[in-house]
């Protein structure tokens, strides 16, 4: 781990000599597979895991001439909003001393904010690109579901997540998105949109005539200083010819619980693969302590299930265990209809609400995070409070839509991000809106 | 606080299903936290039934033979292998 906690592994991977990203350095989140370079997901479970293949986005980076400078720190398996659940230690926020960089892609955002990389890739399941972009004062994009291949991304919640770019400016982030976007035969959920994209060209700052809708539900509960900064960014857009109106989205009041039920359920299934047999940590046969229900057995001689349970006890951190257990609970007999099915209803409702709002507006705008960056170490004891901070980002993942977080200014010296949400596969419009500010 | 019956036995049962070994103090802490979190999830009851129109089509492709990882590459990250196979604990 690097001193500032930005990189779990610092290793250079050189790309092609020419290409649109020649001469550019890129930090890659440590849940994106890099052939021959260990990929830990911020977890003890994968501390020594070395992928035998590249993720599609890594292949595309190399072909575009980029130089990868390291694997960026993250909340374990993407589960967190502070990068403090990483098994390898926390990351400094280069833009706000003593505060968290956000998460889960905190190392990626911090790498760009600190100038340790020109660009970075993260992944966004419920805000994990936009949240750290906002907290570190950089630009981050969560693409439409299906725009970017997830092949080689270690899965947390497949139906929600997308790989997304970070940059110091909207144009730079859009250039990186142009490189990684487009169909991939190895990810059947990718679509043809984005095949010959030129999102960077849309970063022209021209918001004359842009109609912005502001969902009151995503502004009312936010911190006062955050709202003030958000409002002044809106004023700037208005000065440049944009107009805005308010809109109510009642469904988003249920977005956080729907998101967590769906994400935890998918996680409980996805993380079942970590059994210590094919890859990853395996509980030691000699030192493995006995489970509460185990007889006097050792991992190799004993019961498969007990060995498996011990391996996962040792390999997973607290937040990962919490989510795997809650997801297992939500899917277990008798509770499936109560939680999972209802969460899917809420997801459809959120999608409907956003689609309707976008019929009368080009983009929706809100503060990216309802609060300024948290103080380090303060937030891990109360998981529910931490989940609630995702209120403004998770609805976008539920609705499969694209969104961008752009620096809006500061409150008390702390960075504040503004989020623009667009229609499906209309990345150009959020890039254009964001480019008026950064 | 919650009418969800989360007790320590239930946490142990779920941990058992998920194959995650827990210490007793893990069980106590999770029991307390789960009560809060599940009570919050209960508000999903207020969500109306929504018509979910699935505007999606299956994506199919021909099943063609292609190169894949070699056996050695596939086994490279395994803790234990034997005769070109993964080796796991006994299934008793």
């Amino acid at each position: 781990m690097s001193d500032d906690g930005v990189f779990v592994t610092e290793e250079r991977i050189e790309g092609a000599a020419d290409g649109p990203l020649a001469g550019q350095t890129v930090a890659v989140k440590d849940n994106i597979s890099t052939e021959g370079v260990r990929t830990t997901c911020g977890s003890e479970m994968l501390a020594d895991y070395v992928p035998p293949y590249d993720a599609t986005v890594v292949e595309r980076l190399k072909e575009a001439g980029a130089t990868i400078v390291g694997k960026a720190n993250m909340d374990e398996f993407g589960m967190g909003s502070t990068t403090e659940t990483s098994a390898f230690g926390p990351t400094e926020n280069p833009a706000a001393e003593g505060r968290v960089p956000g998460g889960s892609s905190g190392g990626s955002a911090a790498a760009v904010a600190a100038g340790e990389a020109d660009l970075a890739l993260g992944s966004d399941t419920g805000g994990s690109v936009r949240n750290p972009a906002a907290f570190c004062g950089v630009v981050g994009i969560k693409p439409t579901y299906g725009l970017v291949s997830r092949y080689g991304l270690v899965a947390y919640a497949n139906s929600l997540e997308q790989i997304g770019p970070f940059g110091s400016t909207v144009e730079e982030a859009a250039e990186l998105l142009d490189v990684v976007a487009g169909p991939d035969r190895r990810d059947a959920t990718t679509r043809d949109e984005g095949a010959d994209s030129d999102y960077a060209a849309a970063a022209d700052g021209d918001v004359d005539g842009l109609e912005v809708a502001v969902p009151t539900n995503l502004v009312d509960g936010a911190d006062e200083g955050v709202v003030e900064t958000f409002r002044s960014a809106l004023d700037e857009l208005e000065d440049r010819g944009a107009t805005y109106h308010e809109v109510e989205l009642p469904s988003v009041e249920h977005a956080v619980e729907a998101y967590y039920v769906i994400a935890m359920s998918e996680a409980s299934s996805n993380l079942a693969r970590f059994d210590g047999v094919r890859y990853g940590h395996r509980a030691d046969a000699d030192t493995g302590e006995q489970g509460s229900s185990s007889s006097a057995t050792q991992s190799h001689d004993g019961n498969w299930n007990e060995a498996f349970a011990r391996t996962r006890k040792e390999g997973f951190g607290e937040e990962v265990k919490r989510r795997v257990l809650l997801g297992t609970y939500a899917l277990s007999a008798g509770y499936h209809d109560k939680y999972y099915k209802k969460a899917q209803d809420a997801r459809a409702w959120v999608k409907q609400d956003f689609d309707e709002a976008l019929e009368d507006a080009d983009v929706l705008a809100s503060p990216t995070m309802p609060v300024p960056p948290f103080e380090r170490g303060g937030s891990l004891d109360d998981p529910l409070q931490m989940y609630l901070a995702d209120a403004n980002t998770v609805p976008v993942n539920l609705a499969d839509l694209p969104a961008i977080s752009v620096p809006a200014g500061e409150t008390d010296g702390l960075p504040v991000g503004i989020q623009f949400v667009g229609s499906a596969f209309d990345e150009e419009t959020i890039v254009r809106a964001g480019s008026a500010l950064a | 606080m919650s009418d969800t019956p989360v007790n320590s036995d239930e946490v142990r049962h779920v941990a058992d299903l998920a194959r995650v070994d827990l210490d007793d103090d893990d069980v106590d802490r999770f029991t307390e936290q789960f009560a809060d979190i599940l009570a919050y999830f209960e508000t999903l009851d207020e969500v109306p039934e929504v018509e979910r129109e699935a505007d999606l089509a299956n994506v199919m492709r021909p099943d063609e033979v292609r190169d894949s990882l070699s056996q050695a590459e596939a086994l490279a990250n395994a803790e234990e292998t034997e005769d070109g196979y993964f080796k796991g604990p006994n299934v008793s």
Side-chain angles (χ1 to χ4, degrees):
Chain A
M1 178 87 126
S2 60
D3 289 344
D4 50 11
V6 167
F7 294 111
V8 177
T9 306
E10 273 184 286
E11 198 165 322
R12 284 177 89 84
I13 306 172
E14 298 292 341
D18 301 310
L21 295 181
Q24 304 265 354
T25 55
V26 184
V28 174
K29 189 178 185 180
D30 210 19
N31 60 351
I32 298 174
S33 300
T34 41
E35 182 179 348
V37 176
R38 78 173 179 147
T39 298
T40 69
C41 293
S43 181
E44 201 57 57
M45 183 64 88
L46 292 176
D48 301 313
Y49 173 67
V50 179
Y53 63 92
D54 275 332
T56 297
V57 294
V58 169
E59 266 178 15
R60 289 182 181 171
L61 280 182
K62 289 176 169 176
E63 284 162 17
T67 299
I68 295 169
V69 289
K71 302 300 297 291
N73 199 16
M74 56 182 285
D75 283 299
E76 187 177 2
F77 286 104
M79 301 179 187
S81 312
T82 65
T83 310
E84 292 174 302
T85 72
S86 168
F88 306 104
T91 302
E92 300 274 358
N93 184 336
E97 212 188 321
R99 306 282 171 146
V100 302
S104 67
S105 313
S108 300
V112 172
E116 294 190 34
D118 300 317
L119 303 162
L121 286 180
S123 63
D124 190 312
T125 310
S128 284
V129 165
R130 289 160 287 154
N131 159 340
F135 279 7
C136 291
V138 298
V139 175
I141 302 174
K142 181 262 167 202
T144 309
Y145 188 80
L147 188 78
V148 179
S149 169
R150 288 177 293 111
Y151 179 77
L153 171 70
V154 180
Y156 155 27
N158 326 49
S159 82
L160 296 161
E161 56 208 4
Q162 276 287 287
I163 291 171
F166 292 91
S168 299
T169 66
V170 171
E171 187 174 7
E172 288 169 343
E175 277 170 5
L176 178 52
L177 184 58
D178 282 324
V179 166
V180 296
D184 177 14
R185 67 174 174 81
R186 292 171 299 190
D187 176 356
T189 62
T190 53
R191 303 261 297 260
D192 290 335
E193 290 92 343
D196 302 302
S197 69
D198 192 355
Y199 302 127
D204 54 16
D206 180 10
V207 292
D208 193 18
L210 186 82
E211 185 63 35
V212 181
V214 178
T216 50
N217 316 66
L218 301 182
V219 181
D220 290 346
D223 171 272
E224 212 172 293
V226 167
V227 174
E228 235 169 74
T229 313
F230 168 70
R231 296 267 177 219
S232 65
L234 279 184
D235 289 345
E236 203 176 324
L237 292 179
E238 225 179 357
D239 289 345
R240 302 175 69 158
T243 48
Y244 72 90
H245 64 271
E246 294 192 331
V247 62
E248 245 187 273
L249 304 178
S251 65
V252 305
E253 303 295 340
H254 295 287
V256 171
E257 53 267 38
Y259 168 79
Y260 275 96
V261 167
I262 293 170
M264 289 168 170
S265 297
E266 292 186 23
S268 71
S269 165
N270 275 320
L271 272 61
R273 71 191 60 178
F274 297 106
D275 56 10
V277 174
R278 290 155 299 164
Y279 35 69
H281 173 79
R282 181 193 280 199
D284 193 20
D286 301 320
T287 59
E289 48 183 304
Q290 287 157 25
S292 43
S293 60
S294 84
S295 53
T297 54
Q298 294 184 332
S299 71
H300 289 256
D301 309 324
N303 182 292
W304 168 286
N305 287 336
E306 287 166 16
F308 197 2
R310 207 154 51 230
T311 286
R312 291 157 67 78
K313 175 191 186 177
E314 294 175 10
F316 289 150
E318 170 104 2
E319 183 62 30
V320 173
K321 285 175 187 158
R322 187 155 41 236
R323 295 195 193 190
V324 166
L325 263 51
L326 281 165
T328 304
Y329 183 88
L331 293 178
S332 63
Y335 293 109
H336 175 275
D337 283 6
K338 182 178 170 63
Y339 296 111
Y340 189 74
K341 191 164 164 286
K342 279 312 234 181
Q344 294 295 352
D345 276 333
R347 182 173 190 172
W349 189 20
V350 168
K351 207 179 282 213
Q352 225 170 54
D353 258 2
F354 272 78
D355 287 348
E356 276 170 27
L358 284 162
E359 281 170 16
D360 303 318
D362 299 304
V363 294
L364 311 183
S366 76
T368 307
M369 295 297 289
V371 289
F374 319 112
E375 284 181 39
R376 274 174 54 177
S379 43
L380 293 175
D381 297 336
D382 190 344
L384 182 56
Q385 282 311 311
M386 185 83 330
Y387 302 162
L388 292 172
D390 297 338
N392 289 7
T393 51
V394 295
V396 179
N397 299 76
L398 292 172
D400 300 328
L401 297 175
I404 189 170
S405 179
V406 177
E410 293 185 343
T411 174
D412 289 334
L414 300 170
V416 174
I418 181 172
Q419 166 177 259
F420 296 104
V421 184
S423 302
F425 298 105
D426 190 13
E427 269 72 5
E428 279 184 22
T429 303
I430 57 167
V431 163
R432 180 163 287 120
S435 66
L437 298 172
Chain B
M1 182 164 51
S2 163
D3 56 358
T4 315
V6 201
N7 54 42
S8 55
D9 285 346
E10 204 155 6
V11 170
R12 277 183 215 280
H13 174 63
V14 167
D16 198 40
L17 290 175
R19 309 277 185 264
V20 178
D21 210 0
L22 295 181
D23 290 330
D24 289 344
D25 56 335
D26 293 333
V27 172
D28 293 344
R29 199 171 54 256
F30 281 152
T31 303
E32 207 173 299
Q33 291 172 350
F34 288 8
D36 276 355
I37 295 168
L38 290 168
Y40 183 65
F41 288 174
E42 300 271 306
T43 60
L44 284 170
D45 280 345
E46 297 159 18
V47 173
E49 257 189 58
V50 178
E51 202 185 319
R52 307 182 214 153
E53 85 266 36
D55 187 19
L56 298 168
N58 277 330
V59 179
M60 310 291 272
R61 62 164 175 77
D63 189 15
E64 290 161 346
V65 176
R66 290 195 202 120
D67 286 342
S68 65
L69 293 179
S70 69
Q71 199 166 1
E73 285 170 323
L75 292 171
N77 280 284
E79 181 77 23
E80 207 181 351
T81 63
E82 195 176 302
D83 300 331
Y85 294 99
F86 295 112
K87 190 173 181 193
N90 294 338
V91 181
S92 58

